[in-house]
Amino acid sequence: MKRLGFYVVMVLLTFSLQMQVFAAYRCTKPEDQGNERESGVWTQDEKGWRFTGSDGQTYVNHWLLNDRGFWNYFDENGYAVTGMQTLEGKRRYFTNRGDMRTSYFVYDGHLYCAFKDGEIRTSRNGGNNVKTSRNGVPYKFDADGHAYNEEGKWDPVTAKELGQSAQSSDGVKEGWAQEGKIWCYYSGGQKLVNSWYQDSGFWYYFDENGNMLKSCVREINGAKYKFDVTGAMTTSGSATDENGVRYLVQKDGTLTPVDVEAEKRKERLANDPGINERQQMLNEKTNPYNNNDTVQWFNATYAILTKSNTGNIRAVGGATKVDGFYNDGSSTDQWYSDKIRQGQAESWGVTDRSSADQVLERLIASGNATGSAWDYSRAMSNLGFYYIAGYYTIEETLDKSLETAKIIQTKFTSWDDFVESYLAGYASWSGTDASERRNIYEQLKTSAFNPFSLDWNMTLEKNW
């Protein structure tokens, strides 16, 4: 009985020690939170890799989060599993070193992708619920987890990995081959040299040594091309060569040098203090008076008001008419016309042609009597508004503007003289120091479209 008791105690002690050993594993499994990386000693024999933790524990039938950040699983013999495995009801893939993949990988002639816990994405486990892509190409997954693209197009990396060369039955290499870190392509057993090759819609080039170009700009047959990190020729964007010269990438892949001065001008215009990019575009496309100096002289007399209203300083009335340019152009024009009509009614009591004529005559008469640019400027701006509102035709607005502008030229000696009178009148009318509108004036003078760059004494003539 004593001997039997001794054996029972030893068995219980051994079981207790085993329980303590298994409890010593620091890692649990990929699905769990809060796992810490484990450092230790790796050993390899003809059967594979084994691991002993920092506490001396050899991992058996257990998960490990290694010090490189990858998950491993060790079988009943303590070897890290490799290849496609089904563990705990989930299909997962492990590299030859035993590292579990948690993203895209190529295996057995197919492209797969795994969730963060290593489970292979499929159409049956929610693999298609979240959009996913590799090197910019989106993929979906079938019931077996095979990734596919609806356009039948692989991304550059996948195309090469799936097409890695294998010797044919007669020993001749065909297809992609990775030699060290360099990709090549074999055709009939020979490397492509100084040659282009297209795969899955992407173009690649192989140099004089048969090496695929990547991450570079290279001149080929008199034209320059850019190749990205995958080796694919780019067909959009920009590039910079080894000498710091900048290029634009064309759709056919060729590079054209960037006009630096044009780029600087484009940048300046994008931030122009006078006219924003949309207004610049509309002036080029829809403004018949964009290059008419006489009309631009008219517009300059009320440019400060136009800018304060965020309008287009080169357009009669502060806006071009866009019917025929935009799909909703007619409704856009009508909206602005209604807005101007409302403003004219509220500010001036103008509701038709007759009341418009009366206000205009009153402003010009006041300007003639007082010599104030404030009155003349408002007369000129109202003329622009009458056109937008539909009370005057464009010819009537410009004809009357020409008549009024010639009077204005006789009353002042320069734009500065005109604007100082305008600001004094505005200050008196508004009860402010007019500093806000003075700032607008100074800003407009720095614009590439400075309306006050026109000669004050230029000959104003009818040319419309």
Side-chain angles (χ1 to χ4, degrees):
M1 290 296 291
K2 290 182 179 180
R3 181 175 294 276
L4 178 60
F6 173 77
Y7 282 123
V8 170
V9 170
M10 289 300 294
V11 169
L12 291 174
L13 179 59
T14 300
F15 180 75
S16 175
L17 289 174
Q18 289 177 340
M19 291 297 289
Q20 292 175 6
V21 168
F22 281 109
Y25 288 130
R26 294 180 62 187
C27 306
T28 53
K29 56 184 178 180
E31 293 86 339
D32 296 335
Q33 302 294 320
N35 282 288
E36 297 182 12
R37 297 184 182 188
E38 174 66 279
S39 59
V41 178
W42 288 88
T43 57
Q44 183 185 29
D45 58 28
E46 67 279 0
K47 293 182 179 180
W49 288 94
R50 307 185 72 180
F51 180 81
T52 300
S54 56
D55 58 358
Q57 171 73 25
T58 298
Y59 277 59
V60 177
N61 288 327
H62 208 278
W63 289 96
L64 164 72
L65 179 59
N66 65 45
D67 57 5
R68 292 177 292 110
F70 293 99
W71 281 97
N72 309 101
Y73 186 82
F74 298 88
D75 63 18
E76 65 277 6
N77 297 312
Y79 288 100
V81 301
T82 61
M84 196 71 78
Q85 302 284 339
T86 298
L87 298 173
E88 300 168 345
K90 296 182 178 181
R91 195 158 57 111
R92 314 179 199 233
Y93 178 75
F94 298 82
T95 67
N96 292 336
R97 177 63 186 266
D99 296 336
M100 184 182 73
R101 299 302 297 266
T102 58
S103 185
Y104 282 96
F105 62 92
V106 169
Y107 171 73
D108 196 26
H110 295 286
L111 176 65
Y112 297 86
C113 186
F115 292 108
K116 293 302 181 183
D117 66 356
E119 181 178 11
I120 305 300
R121 294 182 181 221
T122 72
S123 59
R124 296 179 295 187
N125 65 5
N128 293 323
N129 292 345
V130 179
K131 292 182 179 180
T132 181
S133 63
R134 189 186 200 200
N135 296 305
V137 176
Y139 293 104
K140 291 186 178 181
F141 310 94
D142 63 18
D144 295 318
H146 300 159
Y148 64 94
N149 178 263
E150 293 179 346
E151 300 177 356
K153 177 180 177 182
W154 297 108
D155 69 86
V157 174
T158 301
K160 291 194 288 290
E161 290 178 342
L162 290 176
Q164 285 228 45
S165 64
Q167 289 192 352
S168 62
S169 57
D170 58 0
V172 178
K173 283 186 176 182
E174 290 289 339
W176 287 100
Q178 190 171 20
E179 300 176 353
K181 295 183 178 182
I182 303 298
W183 283 96
C184 334
Y185 193 90
Y186 282 87
S187 177
Q190 299 295 317
K191 283 184 181 180
L192 294 184
V193 175
N194 293 325
S195 300
W196 288 95
Y197 177 72
Q198 186 180 37
D199 192 355
S200 194
F202 299 96
W203 282 99
Y204 304 87
Y205 190 81
F206 302 89
D207 66 16
E208 63 278 5
N209 297 312
N211 299 331
M212 180 195 74
L213 300 182
K214 68 174 185 177
S215 302
C216 68
V217 170
R218 184 67 62 88
E219 183 173 329
I220 301 170
N221 298 326
K224 287 193 173 184
Y225 301 86
K226 176 185 177 181
F227 300 89
D228 67 19
V229 68
T230 70
M233 180 191 76
T234 61
T235 56
S236 63
S238 61
T240 304
D241 67 14
E242 66 277 6
N243 297 317
V245 179
R246 293 177 53 220
Y247 299 87
L248 293 179
V249 183
Q250 306 303 311
K251 289 184 178 180
D252 64 355
T254 57
L255 307 185
T256 57
V258 170
D259 186 333
V260 177
E261 291 304 316
E263 286 290 299
K264 289 180 179 179
R265 174 174 170 78
K266 183 178 180 181
E267 183 178 350
R268 288 196 302 270
L269 294 183
N271 301 294
D272 190 87
I275 307 180
N276 61 40
E277 288 185 279
R278 180 177 183 276
Q279 291 168 344
Q280 292 173 39
M281 179 271 293
L282 289 177
N283 282 333
E284 293 177 1
K285 303 292 185 181
T286 68
N287 188 349
Y289 307 104
N290 188 41
N291 297 312
N292 187 312
D293 285 350
T294 296
V295 174
Q296 293 308 318
W297 199 99
F298 301 163
N299 294 340
T301 62
Y302 56 97
I304 295 175
L305 172 65
T306 302
K307 185 60 182 178
S308 70
N309 291 333
T310 67
N312 185 341
I313 63 173
R314 294 186 69 81
V316 176
T320 63
K321 293 192 176 183
V322 295
D323 187 16
F325 182 74
Y326 287 129
N327 289 333
D328 62 344
S330 58
S331 59
T332 299
D333 291 344
Q334 188 59 52
W335 173 85
Y336 192 63
S337 177
D338 291 342
K339 179 181 177 181
I340 295 300
R341 281 174 172 264
Q342 181 181 355
Q344 285 286 297
E346 293 175 354
S347 300
W348 299 99
V350 171
T351 57
D352 53 20
R353 174 59 182 262
S354 176
S355 54
D357 288 341
Q358 292 174 15
V359 169
L360 179 64
E361 290 174 5
R362 188 169 70 245
L363 284 171
I364 295 175
S366 178
N368 290 338
T370 63
S372 173
W374 171 242
D375 289 327
Y376 287 126
S377 177
R378 291 190 294 173
M380 295 293 280
S381 64
N382 270 5
L383 280 166
F385 292 145
Y386 292 169
Y387 159 63
I388 297 293
Y391 299 141
Y392 280 25
T393 65
I394 186 60
E395 289 79 13
E396 290 172 328
T397 285
L398 295 180
D399 286 347
K400 194 64 178 179
S401 295
L402 178 60
E403 178 184 325
T404 308
K406 288 183 176 181
I407 296 173
I408 295 173
Q409 272 188 324
T410 67
K411 301 291 184 178
F412 304 93
T413 60
S414 65
W415 285 113
D416 283 339
D417 187 23
F418 176 83
V419 171
E420 287 301 325
S421 177
Y422 166 85
L423 293 175
Y426 174 77
S428 177
W429 173 81
S430 65
T432 68
D433 61 3
S435 59
E436 183 178 347
R437 297 211 172 185
R438 182 178 294 279
N439 288 337
I440 292 175
Y441 176 53
E442 297 301 329
Q443 289 175 5
L444 289 177
K445 288 195 293 184
T446 67
S447 167
F449 307 95
N450 175 16
F452 310 109
S453 62
L454 291 168
D455 181 7
W456 175 263
N457 294 310
M458 67 174 282
T459 299
L460 303 175
E461 56 187 356
K462 181 171 181 174
N463 50 18
W464 47 86

